[in-house]
Amino acid sequence: MTEKPSIQEFIPKEAPPRYSARDFDSDVDLKRDDFNEGLELPDINTTPMFINIGPTHPATHGTFRVYAQLDGETVEKAGVDVGYLHRGFEKIVEVKQYNQIIPYTDRLNYCSGLVNNIAFCKAVERMMGLEVPPRTIAIRVIIMEIQRIMDHMICCGTNIVDIGALTNFWYFYNARDKLNDVLEALTGARLTYSYTRIGGLAWDLPAGWKENVKAAIKEVPDAIKDVSGLVAKNRIFQDRTRGVGKISAEDAISFGWTGPCLRATGADLDLRKVRPYYGYQDLDFDIPVGANGDVYDRILVRIAEMHESLKIIHQMIDRVPDGPINVDDKKVTLPPKEKVHTSMEALINHFKLVIDGVQPPPGRIYDATETPNGELGFYIISDGSGHPYRVKVRPPCFYTMNALKFLVEGGMVADIVAILGGLNVIAGELDR
């Protein structure tokens, strides 16, 4: 196995750190007991003032809040509470078969559920030593890059809306809807897809799907051009985003950042390049990076990544080979339905696999995938049964959220919403 490169290789040597994690002493942190202090203010001019941003604020999606101590409109201190959503993902999957876990992965980053499906299946397949067919790999790459574009459109569109520019959202959403039509034709769903299976896919491509993909992605460049033309050199947009929520590459790494948020700091780290899988090493695409690590760069990096995903799709769409979509292994893949109805052996095989599930050998593994928000990893411990002994998720949003307190302190109240949108925190990944 290729050794993972050191993260230090991706840090620009000339970029000095803005601050260090060790500078944040515990005496400046708001304790949980402080969250309810100062809520009843006898005088509206009292300084400092304490306010809640969320959980009912539209930008916080009802799942977390920022408790801020203000001096005027400047955030002196902040406490971040993410405890408003808990579905117990890691615990509930301990009693589910491996294929039954796939619908739960849809609900981690629900803006790009297919990528989560593939990431989990890839980890289990690696544990079992399975090589999925070339046709499956090509289909997985195409739908992952479609989902990356869709995820970035949601992030950039809603972030720009949150700071006051609605038109951009509609430009992105119209194009995104066309992409979602393509995925709906393939999976039958528009949000939680559950399309992949351990060792392959639920079913093959529908007739005319490749042509529909080519037609849908033609809408994307125009949408990107329209949005970029409205915001990239817009003075109001730049004032709201440049220098806001700024962080250095060293500090971002110390918080565990990955994905576009990390690359916006100048750190050139993408698992598709440094630990390639599914043939990404043979594809021609670049990794966009920023320089300042602020909200502006986070948005522009994602917009640039959409162009790179389009390049990947264009290269792959005509390369999808013929062949099976599932591994030829009776312990992994269900037999064809027509055989189940006519063959006793196939019926027994079907019954055993449905009842007992896929059974990886005893052991443990960590496998990661470059999702739209960064490194999504699954640490799986198998005891040889049909359900995992333990699953630990390493979601990218949980780590970017760790830095929110330090990004908003010293800024303005209005900057909190801009910073949140640029981080693209998806609450399903905060589930702990």
Side-chain angles (χ1 to χ4, degrees), residues 89 98-108 117 192 194:
F89 173 90
Y98 285 90
N99 273 315
Q100 291 175 336
I101 296 172
I102 294 171
Y104 290 92
T105 65
D106 274 317
R107 289 143 176 93
L108 291 171
N117 297 167
T192 49
S194 300

Side-chain angles (χ1 to χ4, degrees), residues 24-286:
F24 305 124
D25 299 326
S26 58
D27 59 346
V28 302
D29 293 341
L30 286 178
K31 304 297 187 293
R32 183 168 293 274
D33 293 341
D34 297 333
F35 276 17
N36 295 320
E37 294 182 4
L39 295 180
E40 297 181 3
L41 300 177
D43 181 357
I44 196 171
N45 295 316
T46 299
T47 300
M49 179 180 288
F50 295 85
I51 66 167
N52 283 294
I53 308 294
T56 56
H57 191 285
T60 64
H61 312 289
T63 52
F64 49 85
R65 70 164 176 166
V66 179
Y67 184 64
Q69 175 182 313
L70 306 182
D71 179 9
E73 292 194 30
T74 301
V75 180
E76 291 187 327
K77 295 182 181 179
V80 179
D81 187 358
V82 300
Y84 290 86
L85 176 69
H86 182 64
R87 297 167 293 120
F89 173 90
E90 292 178 346
K91 192 63 181 176
I92 198 170
V93 300
E94 292 178 8
V95 296
K96 299 295 181 181
Q97 294 180 7
Y98 285 90
N99 273 315
Q100 291 175 336
I101 296 172
I102 294 171
Y104 290 92
T105 65
D106 274 317
R107 289 143 176 93
L108 291 171
N109 181 351
Y110 38 75
C111 293
S112 50
L114 278 170
V115 187
N116 307 335
N117 297 167
I118 294 170
F120 178 74
C121 289
K122 186 164 76 75
V124 178
E125 289 158 1
R126 184 180 168 204
M127 173 177 277
M128 299 181 69
L130 297 175
E131 292 288 340
V132 295
R135 182 174 178 83
T136 299
I137 291 176
I139 295 172
R140 286 185 178 184
V141 169
I142 292 170
I143 59 180
M144 280 195 296
E145 296 308 318
I146 290 175
Q147 286 268 267
R148 196 180 311 276
I149 295 171
M150 294 170 63
D151 194 291
H152 289 348
M153 283 180 166
I154 292 177
C155 171
C156 298
T158 54
N159 191 6
I160 298 170
V161 166
D162 286 343
I163 56 180
L166 179 61
T167 308
N168 306 276
F169 179 82
W170 301 126
Y171 284 145
F172 271 153
Y173 225 82
N174 287 338
R176 182 184 179 276
D177 211 46
K178 297 292 192 302
L179 297 175
N180 224 352
D181 289 342
V182 169
L183 295 184
E184 183 181 20
L186 175 63
T187 67
R190 296 179 71 88
L191 184 67
T192 49
Y193 305 94
S194 300
Y195 172 61
T196 58
R197 297 291 184 270
I198 307 300
L201 304 169
W203 47 76
D204 209 339
L205 301 179
W209 191 77
K210 295 180 185 178
E211 290 68 27
N212 292 338
V213 170
K214 293 178 183 178
I217 61 178
K218 287 181 181 179
E219 306 278 339
V220 177
D222 288 340
I224 297 174
K225 182 179 178 181
D226 289 338
V227 172
S228 299
L230 284 174
V231 302
K233 297 183 180 180
N234 185 296
R235 175 62 182 274
I236 299 174
F237 176 75
Q238 292 197 16
D239 287 346
R240 290 299 310 275
T241 57
R242 282 196 178 277
V244 175
K246 192 173 182 179
I247 188 172
S248 69
E250 289 86 352
D251 294 318
I253 290 167
S254 72
F255 282 115
W257 283 25
T258 55
C261 289
L262 174 61
R263 292 191 285 273
T265 67
D268 184 9
L269 174 62
D270 190 306
L271 295 181
R272 295 173 296 173
K273 288 287 189 181
V274 300
R275 296 186 67 183
Y277 50 90
Y278 288 169
Y280 273 107
Q281 68 273 15
D282 300 323
L283 298 174
D284 178 24
F285 68 102
D286 299 315

Side-chain angles (χ1 to χ4, degrees), residues 312-341:
I312 294 173
I313 296 171
H314 280 299
Q315 293 172 68
M316 290 298 300
I317 195 64
D318 291 322
R319 290 193 200 174
V320 180
D322 295 328
I325 58 168
N326 289 292
V327 296
D328 185 15
D329 187 337
K330 294 180 180 180
K331 295 181 180 180
V332 177
T333 304
L334 289 170
K337 188 65 71 175
E338 59 271 16
K339 289 189 177 181
V340 175
H341 292 160

